[in-house]
Amino acid sequence: MFQPTASFSSFSVDDVEKARAFYGGTLGFDVADQMGGLLVTVPGGQTVFAYPKPDHVPATFTVLNFEVADLDAAIAEIEGLGLHLEHYPSTPEMPVDGRGVLRDPDSGMGIAWFTDPAGNVLSVVTRAAAGAGHP
């Protein structure tokens, strides 16, 4: 039986120093050097590993989600840091508003996306509000 002792996620960046400045400086997370990359401790104590890759191409999907209690407050904080939300096209399956935010009126969930300096997609997301929507 496969029995790991822990797990973590990783993604590539094209510039470790820019990643250090972003994750450690702009976002204020703990960042430690590890194997030529960065071990980033995110809220909740989990870690992610950002490793250098000379031919880095950002993923076309979200690589890291930050759960927040208040989506609009988190968006204001992100914008206050000089970051900008990504604006994906609104579709019937993904009806985003004019700010680029997807909200589910049934569940109370919401999500907004932004990128790191390497173009990796990150998000702030709320879970379903207590008593909202379906279990």
Side-chain angles (χ1 to χ4, degrees), residues 40-62:
V40 181
T41 302
V42 295
Q46 298 88 1
T47 58
V48 295
F49 182 63
Y51 59 91
K53 187 172 184 218
D55 60 347
H56 166 77
V57 175
T60 58
F61 50 86
T62 309

Side-chain angles (χ1 to χ4, degrees), residues 38-120:
L38 302 173
L39 187 65
V40 181
T41 302
V42 295
Q46 298 88 1
T47 58
V48 295
F49 182 63
Y51 59 91
K53 187 172 184 218
D55 60 347
H56 166 77
V57 175
T60 58
F61 50 86
T62 309
V63 299
L64 187 57
N65 299 282
F66 300 107
E67 189 174 332
V68 297
D70 183 328
L71 184 60
D72 293 310
I75 290 169
E77 289 175 19
I78 288 168
E79 292 174 335
L81 295 172
L83 304 174
H84 304 282
L85 295 183
E86 291 295 302
H87 289 247
Y88 297 110
S90 186
T91 65
E93 298 80 28
M94 193 170 105
V96 295
D97 66 20
R99 293 179 66 201
V101 180
L102 175 63
R103 298 178 195 268
D104 181 355
D106 293 330
S107 71
M109 241 181 125
I111 187 168
W113 299 270
F114 61 106
T115 60
D116 73 1
N120 293 312

